[in-house]
Structures are given as structure tokens and as C-alpha cells.
Amino acid sequence: MKKTFKKGGIHPAANKIADAGIRVLPLPSRVVLPLAQHIGAPARPVVAKGDTVSRGQLVAEGGSFVSAGIHTPVSGTVASIGELVMASGVPGQAIVINTTHESLELDEKERGEYWTRMETQQADRTLSDRFTAEELRSRISAAGIVGLGGATFPAHVKLSLRPDVKAEVLVINGCECEPYLMCDDALMRAYPGQIAEGIELMLKAAGIPRAVIGIEDNKPEAIAALRAALEDTPFNITVEVLRTKYPQGGEKQLVEAITGRRIPSGALPVSVGAVVQNVATAFAVYQAVAFDMPLIERVITLTGDIPESERANYRVAVGTPMSELPLTVPDDAKVILGGPMMGRPALCLEAPVVKGTSGLTVLADSRRRPVQPCVRCGACVDACPMGLEPYLLARYGELRMWAEAAASDVADCLECGACSYSCPSSRPLLDFIRLGRLRARDFAK
């Protein structure tokens, strides 16, 4: 029997309706680069208004060890450094860079040459031998790489284990269990060899003896592609086919499915000997080490209630305003950053694609059902993968009972949305739980 996590979980319709290939979007004439595109301290600008910058140049350095640098995907002039409205509707500091038609033409030429060279490069199983572990971590840090599965934790931090901490397995997340999204699936099909080499580099960087790539069984093409790419690897890397169940891509659920070990409340995966990274992160690591390419582009999915011709995976420059994406949004629809389960509304489409943007899902408001009173059925409890009581946590959030929420382990919530999805009364459980998590954290301080 295929493995999965034991507690809770649901099976929402996959709706993987995007084209499985990867289309390329042109570079924008204006990029917006927020300084907080990662967990940790915001990046600090190393350029000033009026400066001329080149494609791939560092424009903001990491603000601390737990931080990540920002690089520009276009050559141009720094137009401003200041506060702009982000997709969430909340202001944030960002660097704006304008370019010219001539500069864009040169950048596109360089961009095309790079991708041709990278895609045709033969697998080099000795790549990791050329660098020490410290040198690899330094290159990963210099490239501004963060976790591309959504959490955006700086990749070099996860790979910098303390001497007294020993990890037994590097778990690579290829599940992409979120409905609608297909960017990781498309990446695994298109670049399995590069992902495999990226995993080898991360094993060397962290000093971990083996890696397991977890992929759900609804992605047979990706499974076959990665297994073929790993046939001649000198490293201990295997593919584990997992039973499709949401939210299997959550760190705690994925580690449990692969290792059989459950991560304790409040603990990290390394507490049970695991380090988790995403397949897209592995691809970015390969680019950084093999070609000295910083994280300035990523693959995203555009999907949902939009024309079929627009539903696809796109390679997009980080900093591209979302208003420039090929996305026709109906008047009665809302745009979600990410997928429908864990995503959040995009309130400002002038805001940019950032490192953590996995996709945009457009859903018509007509899909929403009217909210009804709780019927005490317990469906939310059965669905919760963390073994919590969502109906109770939501009530605490609604009544602003922050201390009670904290005492009921609201901090353990993954915000996966399984409770709201399973509720027959369509109650906004996750909305109130999110509020409770936020305020309970403040209350605990």
C-alpha cells in the first residue's frame, strides 16, 4: 500500500486543468521588487534611486542570517525605493526598476542564451565535488534562494545544520497537493535532470546521507521522469510514490508519510531527523551552483475560471506586475494567490509576482455557498491533519478568546483549509482560526 500521513486529510477535486507545459512570458519594462519576499528579516537595499543596474545584479542584501538577497531580472534604472501596496493590500517597502526597449532586447537575448545553455547542459555528476559544503551554502545564499513551495524560508538556513544536529534524510516535496496548481508538476516533467543534480548539491551542502522525493500518485509523468534522471546518480536518492491526499505537501504530513515519524507540537522536521525542501528549490539551487544564476525567475500556474487558452504554467520574472500576466478576470470572480485551499485573496493586481508566488487561481463568486449554523457534525475534526478541534478554535477566534485559543494549540494549525472545505454548513472556520493564531501569538508574548 502506498504511504500517506495517518491523521485527517481530505480529497478535494484536483482541477489540474492547466496546460502541463511551460510557456515563457516576456520580461516586463518595469519590475517591482519587495524587500520582504521571505521569512526572516527584510532585505536591505544596496542601490539608490537613479542607479543603473544590470540583469542578475544584487539590489538588496539579506538583512540577517535568516534573510535572502534580492536580484533584478532586468537591466535598467532604479526609479524609486519606498512603500508600495502589496498583493495583500498591505504596504511594503520595494525597489522599482524601469528599463528601456533596447535594454529589454539585450536582456531577452541573454535570457534565451542562458536557458538554451542550461537546458542542453549534460548531467555532471561531479559538480558537487568541486565545492565544499560551506561553499555550496554560500552560493545558495548569494543567489537569494528561498523555499519555493510557499513558505519562503531561506534555503541556506535549512541547509546549515548545527554540529550537534544530525539529519538522516532530505525530504524533497514534489507532492503539489494544492488543487489547481501544476507548476511543480510541470517543472519535474521539464527539468528532472537539473532537479536531481540540485538535490545532490543540497545533500552535499547539508551533509545528509540520503534523499527521498515524495510525489503523489496522480503525477505519473513526473514520477517516471525523475526516476529516469536518477538512474546514474552516485547519491542515495529515491522516489517515494505517495497516496494522493490533501494536505500531503505540508512539512509535518510529508515527513510522517515518508519516515513514519510524527513531528512533535512546536518542533521542526529536523527534530525527527529530516530536512524538507521543495523540487522548485532544488532546481533553483542547481541554477545557482552550475551557472551562478540568482533566483530571478520562477514557474507559476495561471488557472481557474479564466479562458482555457490562458490556463497554463508560465516562466515569469520575479517582480513582474500581476496586471501584466495573461489573465482575464471575470467581474464576478476573485483572484487567489496560490491555490483555493491555502491561498489568500489578491487585493491589488498592480503588485508583483514574488519568489513565493506559486500561481494565481481565479474563482467565480458563484461557487460560494451561504453560511449556515454549525450542526455539530464533527467533520472538521475528522479532516484536521493536526488532530485539532477546528470548530472550537474558530469559536475562540470569533469571540476574541486569545488565551483559550493559545491553550488549545492553535499555533499547530497548518492553515490548510481542510476544516472549512469539509464543513457542510460552509462556515468560515479557517478565517477565524487564522485570526486566533495571529492574536494568540501576540498574547503569548
Side-chain angles (χ1 to χ4, degrees), residues 8 53-54 87 97 124 158 161 229 234 241 243 254 280 296 311 314 346 372 374 400 418 428 430:
V53 296
S54 301
I97 297 172
D124 183 0
K158 276 191 178 182
L161 301 178
V241 180
R243 183 154 56 91
L254 182 57
I296 55 175
R311 294 198 297 256
Y314 297 85
Q372 302 292 333
C374 176
R400 304 189 176 201
L430 180 55

Side-chain angles (χ1 to χ4, degrees), residues 19 24 41 49 60 63 78 96 105 114 204 217 231 255 296 307 326 339 342 344 356 365 370 379 385 400 413-414 440:
D19 180 357
V24 181
K49 182 179 179 180
V78 178
V96 178
E105 283 190 337
Y114 162 73
K204 173 73 175 287
D217 58 10
E231 285 180 353
V255 169
I296 55 175
M342 295 192 74
R344 305 208 180 192
D365 278 345
R400 304 189 176 201
C413 173
L414 303 175

Side-chain angles (χ1 to χ4, degrees), residues 338-414:
M341 298 300 295
M342 295 192 74
R344 305 208 180 192
L347 303 179
C348 177
L349 292 183
E350 293 304 316
V353 170
V354 294
K355 294 178 183 180
T357 305
S358 55
L360 276 73
T361 305
V362 178
L363 295 180
D365 278 345
S366 59
R367 291 172 177 260
R368 302 183 68 177
R369 301 173 297 179
V371 176
Q372 302 292 333
C374 176
V375 295
R376 307 294 192 271
C377 65
C380 61
V381 178
D382 293 338
C384 180
M386 294 303 297
L388 303 174
E389 297 178 286
Y391 70 92
L392 182 61
L393 296 176
R395 189 63 173 157
Y396 286 150
E398 187 176 9
L399 297 177
R400 304 189 176 201
M401 299 170 66
W402 316 131
E404 289 80 0
S408 298
D409 298 324
V410 70
D412 285 344
C413 173
L414 303 175

Side-chain angles (χ1 to χ4, degrees), residues 34 36 84-92 322 335-337 343-352 354 357:
L84 292 174
V85 177
M86 299 294 109
S88 63
V90 177
M322 289 187 286
V335 180
I336 299 171
L337 287 170
R344 305 208 180 192
L347 303 179
C348 177
L349 292 183
E350 293 304 316
V354 294
T357 305

